[in-house]
Structure formats: C-alpha cells, structure tokens
Amino acid sequence: MTLVTDYLDKTAAKFPDKVAFANEKSVMTFGTLRKEARHIAVGLIEKNIFRRPVVIYLEKSPECVAAFMGVAYSGNFYTPLDTDMPKARIEKILATLQPEIIITDEEHYDLAKAFAGTIPVAVYEKFQ
C-alpha cells in the first residue's frame, strides 16, 4: 500500500527545490514541505498522539498543507477548520470530534484558545 506521505518523500527526493505550493504570502518547495511536515509529525509523536483526530486551524496556505502532511506522517488524521467559520460551528465540530490537539499559527492562536476549551493548542511556527 502506498501512502500519500510516500509520494511526498519520493517527490521531495527527486525535486527538492521545485515549488510545491505558493500563495501571496509564502512559497514552499517540496523539500521544505517535507521538512516542515516531519517537524509537525515529530512534535505530535513526542506528545504521544497517535491514531487520534488533530484539528488544523490555519488559513489556506502552504503551511496548512505541511500541517496536513505532518499529521499524516505521525499516524493521526486531520480535520481542517476554516478560519472564517463561526465560533458556534467550530465548537460544535470540536464537541463531536473531540480532537487531541489543535494546530494553528501565531496569528490565530488567541482565537483558537478562545474556542478550544480544554483541548491543547499548538503553534505551527514552534514546530520548526
């Protein structure tokens, strides 16, 4: 069975400097995508999070994709939450999902903490 992370490993090995994702704020190569995803994975593994739901609360961006891949590398599954989603909807999703952790960035940290309740919130930039 081939995993999505296997494809990233192969592509990053062949084309490490090729642009994987870009938006108006950042550009990420396949090599950087793999590196950042593995940092996320290591952070989750160090927290003993395995086969659990992980919420990704980031704007659509290369970093969001890296977080998705990092969660996959760690053996967990992710659920993306749109940063424009109403707080009540997010709280309902969190109550149903009961995630182990929320990954967000420094920009959205305070907002994530406001709806997280007892769920730990990790900052994307601190995984590097």
Side-chain angles (χ1 to χ4, degrees):
M1 174 172 43
T2 304
L3 304 174
V4 67
T5 52
D6 295 334
Y7 289 113
L8 177 56
D9 288 338
K10 288 175 187 174
T11 305
K14 266 184 152 174
F15 309 105
D17 299 321
K18 186 173 181 177
V19 173
F21 295 97
N23 66 6
E24 56 281 342
K25 294 182 183 177
S26 64
V27 174
M28 192 174 294
T29 64
F30 282 104
T32 303
L33 174 63
R34 183 178 183 274
K35 178 182 165 197
E36 292 196 15
R38 292 180 71 85
H39 283 292
I40 298 286
V42 168
L44 294 172
I45 291 166
E46 286 175 349
K47 295 177 187 311
N48 293 316
I49 300 172
F50 184 67
R51 291 187 176 178
R52 300 287 302 141
V54 175
V55 165
I56 308 295
Y57 185 69
L58 295 167
E59 291 180 9
K60 294 176 184 172
S61 64
E63 292 77 16
C64 188
V65 175
F68 293 166
M69 296 302 289
V71 172
Y73 270 124
S74 70
N76 293 288
F77 59 94
Y78 62 86
T79 299
L81 294 182
D82 190 332
T83 55
D84 293 328
M85 194 178 290
K87 182 180 175 190
R89 174 107 172 99
I90 290 172
E91 289 170 340
K92 191 177 274 191
I93 291 168
L94 294 177
T96 302
L97 188 62
Q98 298 182 345
E100 197 70 23
I101 195 166
I102 297 170
I103 299 173
T104 192
D105 55 11
E106 291 174 351
E107 179 182 347
H108 295 94
Y109 180 79
D110 290 337
L111 189 56
K113 285 296 283 183
F115 61 68
T118 60
I119 303 164
V121 179
V123 176
Y124 176 90
E125 293 88 348
K126 294 187 179 173
F127 281 99
Q128 274 71 64

